Amino acid sequence: MAEALTIRTRSGFGLATITARKGVAAGAIGQALGLVAPAGPVWTAAEGVMLLGTGPGVWLAHAETVSPFWGDGLRQRLAGLAAVSDQSGACVVLRLSGAGARIALRRGASIDLDPAAFRPDAVVVTAIAHIGVTFWQVDAVPTYDIAVPRSFIGSFHHWLDVTAAAIRLPVPASGEA
Amino acid sequence: MSRLAEGGLIDRTKPLRFSFDGRHYTGFAGDTLASALIANGIRLVGRSFKYHRPRGILSAGSEEPNALVTLRKGDRAEPDSRATTIELFDGLAATSQNRWPSLDFDMMAVNQIAAPLFVAGFYYKTFMWPAKFWEKLYEPLIRRAAGLGALSTLPDPDSYDREHGFCDLLVIGGGPAGLAAALTAGRAGARVILVDEDRIFGGRLLGERYEVDGVAGVDWTNAAVAELASLANVRLLLRTTVFGIYDGREYGAIERVADHLPQPAPGQPRQRFWKIIARRAILASGAIERPLVFGGNDRPGVMLASAVSTYVNRYAAAPGRRAVVFTASDSGWTTAADLMTADIQVAAVIDSRPDGGVSASRLPHDVETFSGAVVVDAHGAPLRGVDIRAADGRIRRIEADLLAMAGGWTPAIGLGANLGSRPVWSESIQGFLIDVAPPGLQPAGAAAGTFSLGAALADGVAKAVSALADLGFAVSAPGRYEASDEPSGVTPLWHVGGSRTKAFVDFQHDVTDTDIALAAREGFVSIEHLKRYTTLGMATDQGKTSQLNGHALLAAATGKSIAEAGTVLSRPPYGPVAIGAFAGHHRGAGFRPERRTPAHDWAASQGASFIEAGLWKRARWFARPGERDWQETVNREVTTTRGTAGICDVSTLGKIEIEGPDAALLLDRLYINTISTLPVGRVRYGVMLREDGLVMDDGTVTRLAEDRFFLTTTTANAATVMQHIDHARQVIWPELDVQAVSVSEQWASFSVAGPEARRLAQRLLPDFDLANSAFPFMAAVETVWQTLPARLFRVSYSGELAYEIAVRADHGEVLARALHTVGQEFGATLYGIEALGVMRIEKGHPGGGELNGQTTAADLGMGRMMSRKKDFIGQVMAARPGLTAPDRPCLVGLRPVDPRQRLCAGAHLLPGGAAAVAANDQGHVTSAAFSPTLGHSIALALLAHGAERHGERIVVHDPVRGPDIEAEICSPVFVDPEGIRVHG
Amino acid sequence: MRIPCPFCGDRDAREFVYRGDAAPRRPTADDEFHDYVYLRANPAGAMRELWYHAQGCRSWIVVTRDTRTHEIFGAELAKDAAR
């Protein structure tokens, strides 16, 4: 049956890649930023900043609202601990919410999103429609944020719009559990 | 009408109109096209592949070889659709295939007279004849005469979706064994996906009259499905075919989302392609009944006995009025009983087994039975009668319009061989079984050779219990089912013999018993050779009904046992899959993703034409009203840039940040030249080699801080270079403390080039000192534009005084507008990559034509950049004799001696007067352009001994596009060779 | 096919780029470079090979795979792999 799916484009956020220097553990990075830096593909958050584990010793820092020079500030706080590259302009972040959000991502990504297998704090770096994306679950509605490289956003919407239309159809179709 | 008065799983309150070959009929919801045709008394459905023999409906499932039709019309027409799997919908239109002018009267049926042309190996044999005969005579003849349906050739109007499934247990097939397995696993809490290709679950229970636990099989099925549907951990997929098993416990499946509808709803995909990852799987795909091989066994009215039972029991459709049952197994007797129960006359039961008659006691009425007897020939199209040979050898004719044949059951294990394990012969079931199953998969029920209902149910439970135990699930009380079982013995009869007419083995490819005998005589004694030589099992049905009979006949013809002869492997797909389903969203405009720069839409509004560069769309040029052609536009863009100023979007370049205490050391190892000596705030051009010594890419390196660098790569190699750097720092030198990340998407960059570039850039950055003394050529700075972080580089690709300015990508369009607004005051032009290319050729910079994976740094005139004081990737191999040979083609410029002539990339270089043969080839043109600066065509080329030959003349030979042109070899730098402008 | 990325978990093989045998080590002696660049063993059986998780965590990983059956026995980050 038709499943609810809302899609909106987020704005005003900051994104930055943090890569630990050799031998620097997640703990030291987290301490410098005032939260627990995850060691695996999950996220943690404190005071408006999220740290998303995107690789071994690599995180994507995400903040709701930032100044344009947020990246420089991060670099200073992590001096000697990590490399920092501002990516605030690199991605369009879409927020997908509703029961249909899980179906849409499942159709796009070869990732097990069933609540039995998918941690609510999981971070996924993968490909949807041949486009490299990063997504994470925001709440249990479920709501997901998905970061799409800016140059690909038109093609991503081509996939998402067609997929969302099928999910919203008021016709019964098997496989939409 | 042949519809029975009552019974069947059809909804008589929902009549559906449909047409076949233009005639209109009515069926009911729940019918297939095949059952509706039978219920309307239609017996002739198609013509065969080679001989155009009239064919009817053989089976009631996806194994159907005969009843192929073209479903729907126009752009939705789908040829070779199996009438036995098409769900009837209102308005369905189907047409028969491979007949002319009509199904009833087919001119091509004369092929039967020309049968010798079509014997085993006819494709190969006709190739033996003179080639001109083949092309002019036989191929057209065979092409017209033999074939199945025709494609619509129109674009597919439907869309196709993709889905991913993950489960603990995948159950393939929702018959008794599959349902029992799914119930067992579902109750244990495992994540289960149950797949069936039918519109409802039940499998053989739907076509038989057995009971389970004291209730009708259909009722038991309904209760089981209701329970499964109530479990959140179970997903039920109907109308879905698992078509292949792949490495890593991956299963491919096609869900027919809307094929049972007249057409998909707007936005609804027609089909959905599933990739299912299953930790364990149970193959409960059942078994397929075998035909018997006797003369005329392909005639309309000759059907598989199980199909007869299915049409009678499930669809309440009578396939005939007077039936003969020909059986080598007990299941034929079940069909006889089904027919009698439906008040269809059974003229005789012919059991090939000498003791077969004992089963007659199970029939509701008396019937003439023959033990140790066979049907030797069937007559009529549709069927009118059969000749039987009784145990005493006497031939007798029995009138009948329906012959139900039961040759025994073949486990449907095609999927089990997908990963390359050959099935093995089982004496006990007289069939092939899976030997080494794909990892995690077990066959169950009839697919495992467990044919009786009660045993199949128990096997489904047992296999699920074993899979669950592997996964750590506890099963407290596995289900036990009581079934009204009947014996299912078989004594295979692979070949009747003594027939006067053609006896078919492979119905769809018209392979007969004599074809197999001929192939064996001609030496094709391997089962794989037999398959290819006779094409047995190579039609769209992949030999589901024919394979085993054919292999048994070959074994007999070569004096081997079936176990010795073996069987073939089956590859995916198990059934036909639409190409569109594999393509999914990726066709037309969505064929592959497209990348657009931040200022793309604005550039379009400025008149940009775009060209594909890898995945990118790049502005090619910005035509203005009144310009006659692209050449005029590009000439203006070049001339304006060199004379005044030009603005170009260079955001597509790859951009990488490298940080860490060992960043400079890593860069020294990545580039042929030394980077560690680069001062902060300066840019250096660099070249990277592959480890084999050939050039991989070129670009710039900027030192932003002592331990922080910013690299650019070519647009084409951005991903390759990132991968290369990660390989260097993670695999080759993991001891280095260096971090690397792509920032290609973060920065929108624009080049401002030309004599007015400084004044133009100064207007944008009024507080920043752009004077040569403060910001010289190859300087760089992190700065602020408006309120945003910005980066400014004094680099030049055009050879002009130039700056590259970059801001966050989401502000790229704002920057483009600002540059353009200021630029207009100076008379600046926007320019695209065509003008960019002209200017780089004028400057002799290597581009895609020169960075072709076959050139060394020395070939490109950069041999002296290679440092001898440090180790770098490619250094050792670049010193190989082959890569340092003096006669290697190296970069030169070319100008036509006659300036009106045009040089073209790809043309080859020959000494004057030499013949245009490969032995005289001395190089080729890698890039060419019309230079508006010089007023004539120019080119870059790779030429043997090129560096020593400036001033010589050479012939530019282009056999495709034009006459030979005489050109003068010159320096590759055509404009401002002293480099005065860039430093200006 | 699925590749068990040590960081991301099991992933579709299409997210990865294949490089080949993980055994060759970049030599220091010039005369060993030819073998390093061009010569590869072609074992039938278990083989340690390099894959790059290009559309994932961007790690180079060493996957142990049976070249006959495609069975994968495990994977580790290349930078951690025994050297």
Side-chain angles (χ1 to χ4, degrees), chain B residues 750-787:
Chain B
F750 297 86
S751 174
V752 180
E756 295 284 6
R758 179 176 290 115
R759 291 211 297 151
L760 203 163
Q762 194 71 72
R763 286 285 305 279
L764 231 62
L765 299 164
D767 302 328
F768 188 80
D769 186 358
L770 286 174
N772 246 344
S773 52
F775 199 68
F777 181 53
M778 294 306 241
V781 68
E782 290 184 280
T783 181
V784 177
W785 174 66
Q786 296 184 345
T787 60

Side-chain angles (χ1 to χ4, degrees), chain A residues 41 54-56 110-111 125-127, chain C residues 2 7 11 15 55-57 59 77:
Chain A
T54 57
S110 180
I111 299 290
V125 185
T126 186
Chain C
R2 308 287 283 185
F7 184 84
R11 290 302 183 86
E15 292 182 6
Q55 292 205 294
C57 64
S59 295
L77 295 177

Side-chain angles (χ1 to χ4, degrees), chain B residues 618-861:
Chain B
R618 297 195 69 179
R620 195 173 190 183
W621 52 68
F622 295 81
R624 287 186 180 170
E627 289 174 341
R628 283 164 307 180
D629 58 13
W630 68 270
Q631 186 71 63
E632 186 177 338
T633 301
V634 171
N635 289 351
R636 171 185 53 76
E637 291 178 7
V638 172
T639 306
T640 308
T641 301
R642 293 218 186 280
T644 312
I647 299 161
C648 183
D649 186 347
V650 293
S651 304
T652 62
L653 292 181
K655 306 172 206 74
I656 297 167
E657 285 186 356
I658 304 232
E659 271 195 61
D662 294 324
L665 177 58
L666 179 72
L667 292 172
D668 276 350
R669 292 177 181 177
L670 289 170
Y671 287 97
I672 63 171
N673 44 331
T674 306
I675 305 296
S676 50
T677 54
L678 181 68
V680 172
R682 286 292 182 274
V683 187
R684 190 167 284 171
Y685 173 78
V687 173
M688 286 185 194
L689 306 186
R690 308 187 308 218
E691 194 68 273
D692 66 2
L694 296 168
V695 174
M696 182 168 75
D697 199 48
D698 70 345
T700 61
V701 185
T702 302
R703 193 165 205 163
L704 297 171
E706 197 56 39
D707 60 353
R708 198 155 62 89
F709 295 83
F710 172 79
L711 278 52
T712 62
T713 75
T714 60
T715 300
N717 289 329
T720 309
V721 171
M722 190 69 234
Q723 180 181 329
H724 179 70
I725 292 173
D726 279 337
H727 182 254
R729 69 188 190 91
Q730 294 179 27
V731 182
I732 307 180
W733 299 296
E735 69 279 7
L736 296 184
D737 186 2
V738 55
Q739 296 78 44
V741 64
S742 168
V743 291
S744 296
E745 294 280 352
Q746 166 70 3
W747 297 98
S749 350
F750 297 86
S751 174
V752 180
E756 295 284 6
R758 179 176 290 115
R759 291 211 297 151
L760 203 163
Q762 194 71 72
R763 286 285 305 279
L764 231 62
L765 299 164
D767 302 328
F768 188 80
D769 186 358
L770 286 174
N772 246 344
S773 52
F775 199 68
F777 181 53
M778 294 306 241
V781 68
E782 290 184 280
T783 181
V784 177
W785 174 66
Q786 296 184 345
T787 60
L788 292 169
R791 289 176 179 178
L792 186 69
F793 308 86
R794 188 161 163 200
V795 293
S796 175
Y797 197 50
S798 57
E800 298 299 323
L801 165 66
Y803 301 87
E804 219 171 275
I805 179 165
V807 296
R808 260 171 60 166
D810 50 337
H811 292 78
E813 184 178 325
V814 180
L815 175 59
R817 287 174 186 275
L819 280 168
H820 184 56
T821 303
V822 175
Q824 279 179 317
E825 296 173 29
F826 295 92
T829 183
L830 300 172
Y831 67 94
I833 62 162
E834 203 68 37
L836 184 79
V838 170
M839 289 189 278
R840 75 104 187 154
I841 295 168
E842 288 179 336
K843 288 298 294 178
H845 294 313
E850 294 77 33
L851 301 172
N852 61 7
Q854 299 176 356
T855 46
T856 65
D859 296 343
L860 301 179

Side-chain angles (χ1 to χ4, degrees), chain A residues 51-114:
Chain A
L51 269 189
L52 304 126
T54 57
V58 187
W59 297 267
L60 198 58
H62 174 277
E64 292 294 332
T65 51
V66 293
S67 91
F69 297 92
W70 182 60
D72 293 340
L74 272 180
R75 183 175 301 114
Q76 282 158 19
R77 289 168 73 178
L78 293 168
L81 297 174
V84 174
S85 293
D86 189 5
Q87 304 275 20
S88 301
C91 292
V92 175
V93 176
L94 302 177
R95 175 157 287 186
L96 277 55
S97 192
R102 179 176 291 135
I103 299 170
L105 291 180
R106 199 181 63 204
R107 293 201 173 146
S110 180
I111 299 290
D112 190 353
L113 296 170
D114 190 289

Side-chain angles (χ1 to χ4, degrees), chain B residues 75 384 395 409 428 472 483 574 590 756 930 944:
Chain B
D75 54 5
R384 289 193 307 272
I395 302 289
W409 294 86
S428 64
Y574 183 70
E756 295 284 6
F930 178 81

